[in-house]
């Protein structure tokens, strides 16, 4: 009876499917954060237009956003390492809440610039991946968990335009920002009341099972040390070769569709919801289904091939209906490559180095996003939009060649007993 009660307390059961409660609540936290972030991200251009800010100043604001993300990544990683994931997530949630309120109150260029400052600590993806790494074992369990995190990303992406429309009807043009400011208090409550410290703080109770390595310093030397570890550069190349061109495409895709196909805000919302559905499918079903039948390295190959297909369609993007082919293949490629690469990156380093390696991966993406708008605009002006498809196809071939000819040595993947066994052993030892 006691063991059955304990199992019921530790798991949520949905018919034949069970999920550990800490992981389920982590998905809820991730969804809440994504919604608050996406509403700000998608509302920002319209606020800029409402205030009559020039395109040049808008570019500067976007560049500031990217620079703050790049500079804040290592600092956020240091805070996570020194003060723990709870303090880091609370800082992230608080910064997102403050940013929403400042953006809601912005009435000129100066206040818009000030509203960007909290972005320095808004690293939700990095933080939630770190939390999920602490809750799962390397390998299949972690890959599936990261895949379901992508499902929350898609859910958030779909609900964002709905929140914007309904909030606008009730609270006015900027009503969505007020709504997410209220929603922004929920993650604090969920984390403190639904997660137990022993689930994510391995220095607190897991040390009763095994010795815990001292925290690795999060600084430049720490990043270089992690990059020198066998397998990390290999995985970063495989991840970023196909993804970097996609980030550049996303920075000008909206402008290109408006200029070439006269896309309205309503059509843009429909495309956004379709993209969210694609992300949900590719993460919630694609990653998990493929992981049941193939190992991570084969899934990387499938993801890169999906990118290759997307870039072929992108090269010939001369009709709006092609977006219905481009986005599904892009979302599938992004989900498979990013999810599996991040999972493997946390598996080839020690647990106390996971924050560093995820920080490095996030910083690379933030760096690309920082300079993508300016660089992509110039490339599109000189070489045309189709050039992105050609560059993406070429770099994806590089990634595919790396997957085929330089596979990751399986011996590098750190083995760890499942969390359920660790927990049972801890309870037995405490008795």
């Amino acid at each position: 009876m006691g063991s059955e009660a304990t199992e019921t307390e530790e798991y949520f059961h949905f018919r034949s499917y069970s999920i550990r409660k800490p992981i389920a609540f982590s998905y809820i936290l991730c969804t809440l954060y994504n919604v608050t972030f996406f509403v700000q991200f998608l509302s920002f251009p319209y606020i800029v237009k409402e205030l009559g800010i020039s395109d040049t100043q808008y570019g500067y604001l976007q560049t500031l956003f990217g620079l703050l993300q790049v500079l804040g990544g290592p600092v956020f990683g240091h805070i996570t390492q020194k003060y723990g994931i709870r303090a880091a997530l609370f800082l992230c949630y608080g910064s997102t809440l403050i940013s929403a309120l400042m953006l809601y109150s912005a009435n000129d260029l100066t206040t818009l610039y000030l509203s960007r400052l909290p972005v320095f600590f808004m690293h939700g993806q990095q933080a939630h991946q770190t939390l999920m790494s602490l809750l799962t074992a390397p390998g299949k369990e972690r890959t599936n968990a990261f895949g379901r995190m992508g499902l929350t990303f898609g859910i958030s992406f779909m609900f964002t335009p709905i929140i914007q429309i309904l909030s606008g009807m009730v609270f006015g043009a900027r009503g969505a920002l007020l709504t997410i400011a209220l929603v922004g208090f929920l993650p604090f409550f969920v984390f403190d009341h639904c997660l137990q410290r022993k689930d994510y703080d391995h220095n607190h109770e897991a040390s009763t099972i095994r010795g815990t390595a001292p925290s690795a310093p999060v600084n430049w030397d720490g990043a270089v040390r992690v990059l020198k570890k066998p397998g990390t550069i290999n995985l970063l190349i495989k991840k970023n070769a196909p993804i970097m061109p996609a980030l550049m495409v996303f920075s000008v895709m909206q402008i290109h569709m408006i200029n070439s196909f006269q896309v309205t805000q309503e059509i843009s919302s429909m495309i956004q919801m379709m993209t969210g559905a694609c992300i949900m499918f590719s993460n919630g079903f694609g990653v998990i289904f493929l992981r049941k039948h193939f190992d991570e390295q084969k899934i990387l190959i499938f993801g890169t091939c999906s990118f290759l297909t997307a870039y072929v369609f992108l090269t010939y993007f001369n009709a709006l209906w092609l977006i219905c082919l481009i986005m599904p293949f892009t979302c599938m490629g992004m989900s498979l490559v990013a999810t599996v690469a991040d999972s493997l990156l946390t598996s080839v380093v020690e647990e106390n180095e996971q924050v560093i390696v995820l920080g490095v991966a996030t910083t690379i993406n933030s760096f690309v996003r920082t300079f993508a708008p300016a660089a992509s605009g110039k490339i599109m002006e000189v070489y045309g939009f189709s050039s992105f498809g050609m560059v993406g196809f070429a770099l994806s071939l590089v990634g595919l060649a790396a997957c085929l000819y330089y596979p990751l040595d399986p011996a590098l993947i750190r083995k760890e007993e499942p969390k359920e066994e660790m927990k049972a052993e801890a309870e037995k030892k405490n008795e």
Side-chain angles (χ1 to χ4, degrees):
M1 285 289 290
S3 61
E4 290 178 4
T6 302
E7 183 179 347
T8 303
E9 290 171 3
E10 292 295 334
Y11 285 83
F12 285 121
H13 298 281
F14 305 95
R15 296 183 180 178
S16 60
Y17 177 72
S18 298
I19 182 172
R20 287 200 293 129
K21 288 183 178 180
I23 294 177
F25 286 123
S26 297
Y27 294 145
I28 293 172
L29 289 170
C30 194
T31 303
L32 290 171
Y33 170 79
N34 284 336
V35 168
T36 57
F37 182 85
F38 289 154
V39 168
Q40 292 185 60
F41 185 79
L42 295 172
S43 299
F44 190 73
Y46 296 101
I47 293 175
V48 169
K49 184 177 180 181
E50 174 193 326
L51 297 177
I53 306 299
S54 68
D55 291 343
T56 302
Q57 289 294 340
Y58 176 67
Y60 291 153
L61 285 162
Q62 292 294 77
T63 300
L64 176 63
F65 177 94
L67 283 173
L68 289 171
Q69 285 268 291
V70 170
L71 296 174
V75 177
F76 188 82
H78 174 74
I79 292 171
T80 305
Q81 197 75 1
K82 186 170 183 179
Y83 299 103
I85 189 62
R86 179 180 181 274
L89 277 170
F90 275 28
L91 179 61
C92 176
Y93 300 148
S95 299
T96 309
L97 175 61
I98 292 169
S99 176
L101 291 173
M102 292 177 72
L103 195 56
Y104 177 79
S105 306
N107 54 18
D108 56 22
L109 183 60
T110 301
T111 49
L112 274 180
Y113 272 107
L114 290 174
S115 73
R116 302 295 82 195
L117 297 181
V119 168
F120 191 83
F121 294 115
M122 288 165 56
H123 295 274
Q125 180 184 7
Q126 177 181 341
H128 289 109
Q129 283 185 332
T130 301
L131 175 62
M132 197 61 68
S133 297
L134 295 171
L135 296 174
T136 58
K140 182 177 180 179
E141 182 185 17
R142 184 167 300 166
T143 299
N144 288 341
F146 276 25
R148 293 190 183 100
M149 279 184 66
L151 176 61
T152 68
F153 187 94
I155 292 171
S156 308
F157 211 75
M158 284 191 67
F159 275 101
T160 296
I162 297 173
I163 292 173
Q164 287 180 302
I165 293 169
L166 294 179
S167 299
M169 293 170 61
V170 177
F171 300 115
R174 300 191 190 183
L177 293 169
L178 198 58
T179 300
I180 63 166
L182 298 174
V183 172
F185 288 101
L186 291 178
F188 296 97
F189 177 85
V190 172
F191 193 99
D192 261 356
H193 291 81
C194 300
L195 286 178
Q196 300 180 41
R197 184 178 174 186
K198 63 184 177 64
D199 293 324
Y200 58 84
D201 188 352
H202 294 173
N203 292 324
H204 178 59
E205 287 198 14
S207 57
T208 62
I209 308 171
R210 57 185 177 181
T212 303
S215 296
V218 180
N219 51 34
W220 178 255
D221 291 336
V224 171
R225 186 187 65 255
V226 166
L227 289 174
K228 287 181 178 178
K229 281 184 170 287
T232 52
I233 294 293
N234 177 302
L235 290 168
L236 287 171
I237 290 173
K238 292 173 182 176
K239 175 184 177 182
N240 289 290
I243 286 180
M244 286 174 63
L247 296 177
M248 297 187 71
V249 170
F250 293 152
S251 67
V252 293
M253 175 78 86
Q254 190 75 11
I255 296 172
H256 174 70
M257 290 194 298
I258 292 172
N259 293 338
S260 300
F261 310 118
Q262 291 73 50
V263 170
T264 63
Q265 188 173 347
E266 289 75 17
I267 296 175
S268 179
S269 295
M270 291 174 62
I271 293 173
Q272 182 183 333
M273 295 184 71
M274 179 197 72
T275 303
C278 292
I279 295 171
M280 287 174 59
F281 175 82
S282 57
N283 279 285
F285 305 101
V287 174
I288 296 170
F289 173 80
L290 288 173
R291 187 58 188 86
K292 288 180 179 178
H293 299 87
F294 305 99
D295 61 25
E296 277 85 355
Q297 305 210 55
K298 285 188 175 65
I299 298 176
L300 276 177
I301 294 173
F302 297 150
T304 307
C305 289
S306 186
F307 267 121
L308 284 168
T309 307
Y311 288 130
V312 169
F313 288 124
L314 196 67
T315 303
Y316 300 99
F317 188 28
N318 52 14
L320 186 59
W321 65 268
L322 283 169
I323 198 72
C324 297
L325 297 176
I326 292 170
M327 292 316 298
F329 281 106
T330 302
C331 292
M332 181 61 74
M334 189 77 75
S335 299
L336 297 182
V337 172
T339 299
V340 172
D342 287 342
S343 175
L344 287 174
L345 280 169
T346 62
S347 302
V348 298
V349 299
E350 296 300 324
E351 183 176 291
N352 65 333
E353 295 173 324
Q354 290 172 355
V355 173
I356 302 175
V357 77
L358 288 173
V360 169
T362 302
T363 300
I364 292 172
N365 285 348
S366 298
F367 183 81
V368 174
R369 288 194 184 99
T370 300
F371 300 101
S376 299
K378 190 66 176 177
I379 292 171
M380 185 168 64
E381 180 183 337
V382 176
Y383 300 104
F385 189 78
S386 62
S387 61
F388 292 110
M390 300 175 191
V391 172
F393 188 85
L395 287 177
S396 295
L397 283 178
V398 172
L400 182 60
C403 291
L404 293 174
Y405 296 105
Y406 300 95
L408 183 70
D409 183 357
L412 296 175
I413 300 176
R414 180 169 52 87
K415 303 298 182 184
E416 184 176 316
E417 59 183 325
K419 301 296 180 181
E420 289 87 350
E421 294 179 15
M422 290 171 55
K423 195 171 294 184
E425 189 175 340
E427 291 173 357
K428 186 176 180 181
K429 194 161 186 176
N430 288 334
E431 289 175 2

